[in-house]
Structure formats: structure tokens, C-alpha cells
Amino acid sequence: MADGALVLVDAVSGPEVQTEKVWEEASRQGLPRLVVLTKLERDRASLERTLEAVHTTFGRAVVPIQMPIGEEKDFKGVVDLVGMKAYTYAPDGSGQVTEGDVPADMADKAKEAREALVEMVAEADDSLMEKFFEAGTLTQEELVAGLKTAVNAGKVFPLVCTSGMANIGIQPLLDAVMAYLPPAAERTVAAMDKSGAATEFQVGENGPAAVFVWKTIADPFAGRINLFRVLRGSVKADSTIANLTKDSSERLGHIAVMQGKTTTDVPEIKAGDLGAIAKLKDTQTNDTLGDKDSPIRFAPMTFPEPVLSYAMEPKSRGDEEKISTALQRIQEEDPTIRFSRDAQTHELLLSGQGQLHIEVTVNKMKRRFGVEVNLKLPRIPYRETITASTEANGRHKKQTGGHGQFGDCTIKMEPLPRGADFEFADEIFGGSIPQQFRPAVEKGIQEARMRGYLAGYPVLDFKVTLLDGKFHPVDSNELSFKMAGRLAFKDAMTRCRPTILEPIMNVEVYVPSDFAGDIMGDINGRRGRVSGMDTRGNTTVVKAQVPMAEMLTYEQTLTSTTGGRGSYHMEYSHYEEVPSHLQAKIIAAAKADKGEAAEEEE
């Protein structure tokens, strides 16, 4: 929904990892950009050195439209290369500026830089190139108009010079935004019609209101605050508007504009402007508000899937419900966070874009909602299965003072293909076990298999066939045959060569091509299998299948290896047998956990 982007570059360290990611995202969205050189008052700050690094990273289309007056602590103003004027600032940081001529000692350098700017603008337009060749330069009007056209087309990215600490260059920066980045009315945004077909929407002042909600803030005092942008018409306080995404109606009370945490109530917000409103009942991020008869829904923003999960435990008993409430509120403002309960391990999992993201979320829970949790690596949902067929017998016999208990069954257990889970077949002929007791045998086996045999993990991918059995006309009942089924299952597991399975993940790793070899070596060291590589510009995509157990700490390793330039995505693929030398460790760890649990119960 943005019309343009400001990409900040540190004048000391040059383009950093996050700078590159911002640039890539702006390129993906096709946004015109200004490059803002910051911290020019710092020691070792340099336009020349940083510009060289910027050209290496982003290409030669980044061209200065300003030059700094003075260096490092002597930085005191900027020269505007378009208008060839100098702006000198008061040394007290007040922002007071004096306009004047280009300093004499910078005249030659400024003229040379302006010629480079003119040449770059001319290259972006064939008609301007012809005029440039004929006259050897461009007029002031041609330069300004050509620069704006080139910026909007993504062919030129102007660079401006600033210092936030010294309050230098801020007004010229804002002037450049107004002069060269497109106004809202010149942009189209992605939208959908009622059928869901993609279309484009022209921003404009005329027509019924069309509003897109681009962020939600979960304020513990004010409740939910929706930040929105008006893309057509206007929105007025104390009015009613339709939520076209949720097919509901919303009453607008006070509408406001925000500056930091400060809100200022306003009577109206017009097309192109941003606003905020609190306490809407249904509206959330990505919703479209407008006229109820409007056929337009704005295309929702897509959020990256989580790449890392941690298990959460409340520090205080009884806080589990508070955790869910807090995370629901936080998820409203940060849709990249996920939380869920694992059906197998019963752990409450918090998933995000990385370790830092998760730690920030936990800190937010404590600061805003007073909920504290401990984080730990999640348990791996291992499974068990069998690799051989066998027959087994289970007999449950118990005699008490009154009626006893008696159940006897004979079963056959055999492995099934991976992913088949569990099958039960009844092949008893005659009445060796009455029909009403046979489902109890299956129920007993189901309960036993979910408790596991080797390490307490559910047993799957096998078939049980009920072959024979015995019953007593008085002592037999459902409970007896359920116990007989359990005993038969345990007897069979002693001979059918049980083994442990682990989840295998499909992994895609995105890294600069220079790191591809290191990444593949690391994946191989994690028992992974590289299945392919794709090259996309300067990025290499490594595709592999890796055991989930080896991926729990991968985010930290990838960040360390690539200096934060890498990212990855993974999803579940299938289960495979764990190597035998690792199975012993898993079984030992499971026995240790059972011992600790037994001690806690005592």
C-alpha cells in the first residue's frame, strides 16, 4: 500500500543485512526509492566509500542528488546538485538553515557530480538522451521532470545526505520526497472483485470511501487500535462504514492521526492519508472498509510462515489461560506469530521468524500483559513401528470372590507401508470370541499402541488381524478382552523388531551464492539430503530433506554462517527410520523422562 520507500544506509558501515532485505522487498513490490545516507556526523563517515559499497550492493542506478558540506564532526550542511544551492545548518542542532551558493572549494566537485546525475537521468529516457547528445546537458526543467520520471520507473534511485543526531538535511529530504516520489493519486494498488479475480484500483479523492487496514495495535488500555489508509474518498468521525471483508458494519467514533504514541483526533481523513481508530468490533489487519455496495476488496498482505518454534511453560501455575489470551492479542498486531498446542507432545508451541522474534514476543507478553513463561526446545514427535510379522497371544484371567475376569485372543501383527497408520481386521470364524467382545480387543490394542513400546511414542504403520480366542460364558466381558488385546500387543512387539521413526522436513534455504557450498556442507552434516539448487540473481536456493531433530537450532547456525543474510522455510514431509546408534539415545532419554515424572508424582 506504500507509494514509495526510503532506504536508510549507514554512512559508516554501509549497506547492512537488513538494508539488503528492505531493498529486496521494495524491489518485489515495485516501489520507487530514495536512498538516505545517515549518520554523516560520525567518525569515519564517508560519502565516497559508502557510495562505492552501495553501487556494489544495489547497482550504479543509485546516484547522489546531494553532497555533504564538511566531513564527520565538521558535517554542517548539504549541496543540492539539482538546484546547485548550498544549505548550511546551525551547529546547535536546532535545524535552522541558511541557503546560499555552493562553497568555492566544492564547486568543481559539485559540477562533476551534477554532470554524472544529468547523464544518469538522460540514460533513463530515449528522448532525453537525444537532447543530451545534441546539447551536452539538460535544462533545469528537463532534469527535474526526467529525474521524477526515472525514479517512478525504478531506473534511478536518488541519494540524499542527512544526520538525525545533528538535525541536518531533514527538510531537503522531505522536499525530495515531495518532488520525486509519486503522490498517492498516481499509484494503483492490487485489488480483487467480488468473484476474487485480480484487478487494479486507482487511488483518488472522488467516489465512495475505500479503506485498507494495514496494521493492528493491541493496546492493554485502549484495546485494539486499527491503523488504516484511505485510498478513495474520505472517512469522517461519527459515521458508519461497512467491513467488506467480514460482511459486517462498523461504527466509527473518534478517528485520529498518530505521531509516535501520540494520537490527535481529526474530523476527517482523505484519500492517500493514514489514520487510526480504536474499538472496532470486527475489523483486523488486511480488512477492507467502504461502501457496502462496493465490488472491490483490496488484496491482503501475505505474511511469511514461521521458521522456528519453542515450547512454552508458564512460570506460575494457572497462567496457561492468560498465555492464550495474551498471545491472541499479540497475534492481532503481529500475524507472523503462531501459537498452538501439539496434539502428540501436548506442549504449547510459540512459532516465529527466529529466536530474536520469539524472545521479543515473550518480553512483550511480560511487559504488556504480566505473563511470564519459560522457553525450551520443543520435543520431537517421534513414532514407533514394526519391521516384521508375528503372531501373539494375550490372556487376561483374574479370579475374585464373585464373578472373575477372562479374555483370551490370538492376533497377527504385520507392517504396513509408511503413512498407512493402523488397520484392524477380524478373521474369526465361528464363536471363539462373541461378536460383542471383538471391538474391545481393538480398543485395547489402540490404547496400548498410543503408549508406545520402545520409548513411549505412538506405534503406527501396522495391521492387526484377530485370528482366534477363547471366552468364558460368565467371566468374560469387554474389559477382559480389552486387557487381553493389550497383552497380545505387548507380546507381539517383543518379536516384530520394533523401530523408531522421526519426522523428515522439506527445507528450502535462501542464501547469497557465495555461501551455497557452506550451507550444503552443513546440511549434509545434519543427516540431510540435498535434492537440488536454484539460482535467482545473487541468491541460491538450496532444497533438501533434513530430520526435524537436526533443524531445531538451525536458525542460529544459518545466521552465524551467512552474517544474517540467509533465511529458510521448512514443512513436514514424511517419517523415516532413525539410525540405530541414535535410537539408543532416544530410548535412554525417554526412560530418564519417565523416571523424573515418577519422582514428581511421588
Side-chain angles (χ1 to χ4, degrees):
M1 288 294 168
D3 301 321
L6 301 181
V7 180
L8 274 63
V9 177
D10 192 314
V12 179
S13 57
E16 298 176 291
V17 174
Q18 294 303 321
T19 319
E20 295 178 22
K21 291 185 176 181
V22 168
W23 189 272
E24 289 171 4
E25 180 60 24
S27 297
R28 189 184 68 80
Q29 295 189 28
L31 293 178
R33 274 149 276 171
L34 293 182
V35 177
V36 183
L37 199 59
T38 67
K39 302 181 182 178
L40 275 162
E41 84 290 349
R42 297 279 186 91
D43 291 340
R44 297 180 54 251
S46 169
L47 170 63
E48 289 77 12
R49 188 183 66 249
T50 307
L51 187 60
E52 184 178 343
V54 166
H55 284 166
T56 301
T57 307
F58 303 138
R60 61 182 293 271
V62 177
V63 57
I65 61 171
Q66 294 176 4
M67 289 178 60
I69 301 174
E71 293 185 349
E72 300 178 354
K73 63 182 180 181
D74 295 325
F75 176 53
K76 59 183 180 181
V78 298
V79 171
D80 175 18
L81 299 176
V82 178
M84 290 303 282
K85 293 288 185 180
Y87 298 92
T88 308
Y89 287 79
D92 59 2
S94 63
Q96 253 189 327
V97 61
T98 302
E99 181 182 327
D101 295 330
V102 178
D105 60 340
M106 295 184 64
D108 292 342
K109 202 171 183 180
K111 182 180 178 182
E112 183 181 339
R114 189 178 195 277
E115 289 174 354
L117 171 62
V118 170
E119 186 174 342
M120 184 66 71
V121 171
E123 284 182 15
D125 186 277
D126 291 341
S127 61
L128 290 180
M129 180 63 80
E130 291 179 5
K131 293 179 180 179
F132 177 76
F133 281 139
E134 290 175 2
T137 186
L138 298 176
T139 66
Q140 182 70 13
E141 293 75 16
E142 290 170 343
L143 175 60
V144 172
L147 180 56
K148 180 174 182 177
T149 301
V151 170
N152 291 347
K155 295 180 179 180
V156 171
F157 307 104
L159 181 145
V160 298
C161 302
T162 67
S163 166
M165 184 67 70
N167 197 10
I168 295 175
I170 308 305
Q171 191 59 47
L173 165 61
L174 297 177
D175 290 341
V177 169
M178 294 297 293
Y180 305 122
L181 292 183
E186 294 181 10
R187 296 281 290 175
T188 58
V189 297
M192 302 175 294
D193 59 23
K194 283 186 176 180
S195 67
T199 183
E200 287 189 341
F201 181 87
Q202 181 66 50
V203 179
E205 295 183 1
N206 299 323
V211 177
F212 180 74
V213 179
W214 56 274
K215 186 173 175 61
T216 301
I217 298 174
D219 189 286
F221 304 107
R224 184 193 301 153
I225 299 175
N226 297 115
L227 306 185
F228 62 87
R229 187 180 190 197
V230 181
L231 295 170
R232 184 178 64 193
S234 64
V235 172
K236 296 182 179 180
D238 298 319
S239 62
T240 301
I241 197 168
N243 184 322
L244 302 176
T245 305
K246 303 286 176 57
D247 195 22
S248 62
S249 178
E250 294 280 18
R251 174 68 183 173
L252 306 181
H254 298 286
I255 59 175
V257 293
M258 296 189 72
Q259 186 171 7
K261 291 184 177 180
T262 304
T263 60
T264 304
D265 288 348
V266 294
E268 183 179 18
I269 295 179
K270 296 184 177 181
D273 291 337
L274 304 176
I277 189 164
K279 300 179 181 178
L280 296 182
K281 63 180 189 296
D282 296 324
T283 301
Q284 293 182 334
T285 302
N286 272 339
D287 284 358
T288 299
L289 308 179
D291 185 89
K292 64 180 180 180
D293 297 322
S294 173
I296 291 295
R297 311 288 185 274
F298 294 113
M301 296 178 287
T302 56
F303 300 104
E305 290 297 316
V307 299
L308 185 68
S309 297
Y310 274 88
M312 292 186 297
E313 292 179 341
K315 284 189 176 181
S316 303
R317 290 188 176 182
D319 271 0
E320 201 158 298
E321 187 174 334
K322 292 182 181 178
I323 291 174
S324 297
T325 302
L327 284 175
Q328 284 174 354
R329 297 285 298 279
I330 291 173
Q331 195 176 35
E332 287 180 357
E333 68 178 27
D334 184 1
T336 62
I337 280 287
R338 302 278 195 282
F339 71 97
S340 60
R341 184 171 295 281
D342 190 292
Q344 273 68 44
T345 64
H346 305 294
E347 291 179 315
L348 188 61
L349 300 180
L350 177 62
S351 306
Q353 301 304 304
Q355 184 174 351
L356 180 61
H357 188 204
I358 290 175
E359 289 174 355
V360 168
T361 301
V362 169
N363 185 53
K364 197 180 292 184
M365 290 169 58
K366 177 182 177 181
R367 188 178 70 252
R368 292 191 186 178
F369 304 99
V371 179
E372 295 188 63
V373 299
N374 294 319
L375 293 176
K376 64 178 184 178
L377 290 174
R379 279 183 271 177
I380 304 298
Y382 292 109
R383 297 289 183 268
E384 299 176 22
T385 192
I386 62 175
T387 58
S389 300
T390 188
E391 290 189 8
N393 178 260
R395 170 177 284 221
H396 174 70
K397 184 176 181 181
K398 187 176 181 180
Q399 193 64 45
T400 58
H403 287 303
Q405 295 179 10
F406 180 83
D408 186 295
C409 65
T410 301
I411 65 170
K412 178 183 179 182
M413 274 178 54
E414 54 190 320
L416 290 176
R418 199 71 66 236
D421 196 20
F422 173 74
E423 291 183 17
F424 183 83
D426 178 4
E427 292 187 2
I428 289 181
F429 294 98
S432 56
I433 299 179
Q435 184 66 45
Q436 69 267 29
F437 296 145
R438 297 176 193 177
V441 176
E442 179 183 4
K443 187 174 182 180
I445 293 171
Q446 286 276 27
E447 291 181 358
R449 84 179 184 96
M450 296 309 293
R451 294 176 181 173
Y453 178 76
L454 292 173
Y457 296 102
V459 183
L460 43 70
D461 297 342
F462 70 102
K463 178 179 180 180
V464 172
T465 304
L466 182 59
L467 301 175
D468 201 359
K470 298 177 182 178
F471 81 102
H472 189 279
V474 176
D475 293 343
S476 290
N477 52 35
E478 287 189 14
L479 177 61
S480 300
F481 277 98
K482 186 167 77 169
M483 295 301 295
R486 288 185 187 177
L487 294 171
F489 172 80
K490 292 179 180 179
D491 181 39
M493 290 297 287
T494 62
R495 296 187 299 279
C496 60
R497 299 204 300 270
T499 188
I500 297 177
L501 302 175
E502 63 181 343
I504 304 297
M505 313 300 287
N506 285 328
V507 180
E508 288 189 357
V509 187
Y510 304 84
V511 294
S513 298
D514 294 344
F515 297 101
D518 295 334
I519 293 303
M520 287 192 290
D522 181 70
I523 287 175
N524 290 331
R526 294 173 184 270
R527 299 189 286 123
R529 299 187 299 271
V530 176
S531 58
M533 289 173 55
D534 291 332
T535 301
R536 303 174 186 174
N538 295 325
T539 300
T540 296
V541 182
V542 180
K543 299 179 180 180
Q545 290 190 329
V546 190
M548 181 181 179
E550 303 289 347
M551 294 297 294
L552 293 181
T553 59
Y554 185 66
E555 192 255 351
Q556 296 94 315
T557 302
L558 181 63
T559 299
S560 174
T561 302
T562 65
R565 289 175 169 79
S567 61
Y568 76 103
H569 170 73
M570 68 178 183
E571 59 184 14
Y572 167 75
S573 174
H574 62 283
Y575 273 88
E576 284 185 8
E577 187 174 342
V578 178
S580 56
H581 69 282
L582 295 177
Q583 290 199 28
K585 294 181 180 179
I586 296 171
I587 294 170
K591 288 180 178 178
D593 287 344
K594 285 182 180 179
E596 291 176 4
E599 289 178 6
E600 288 179 2
E601 288 178 3
E602 292 175 3

